[in-house]
Amino acid sequence: MGIVFLNIVDSEGKSKTLDDYTLADVGVGMVEIVIVNFAPELMMTGQDWLLTLVTVVAGDC
């Protein structure tokens, strides 16, 4: 998500922020992908507490 916003703000790529951001976002990016992919199915199957637990634990890492 952050990369999309950065591309909107700095569409010509004049700043070197994207280089720093991609290095810092390697671990967090994978967590975001997993949560976005599994959240709808967990909510539909009534496992919303599991989704909440996973999100809180992933946020602490």
Side-chain angles (χ1 to χ4, degrees):
M1 284 294 227
I3 294 173
V4 172
F5 293 132
L6 182 61
N7 284 332
I8 292 170
V9 174
D10 185 23
S11 59
E12 296 179 9
K14 291 182 179 179
S15 71
K16 299 297 179 198
T17 307
L18 185 59
D19 299 336
D20 297 333
Y21 181 82
T22 53
L23 290 175
D25 193 48
V26 171
V28 176
M30 294 304 293
V31 172
E32 287 178 1
I33 290 170
V34 169
I35 290 173
V36 167
N37 284 327
F38 288 112
E41 185 164 345
L42 289 173
M43 293 297 285
M44 288 187 297
T45 58
Q47 298 176 351
D48 49 344
W49 285 107
L50 178 61
L51 176 63
T52 303
L53 178 68
V54 168
T55 306
V56 168
V57 169
D60 280 341
C61 294

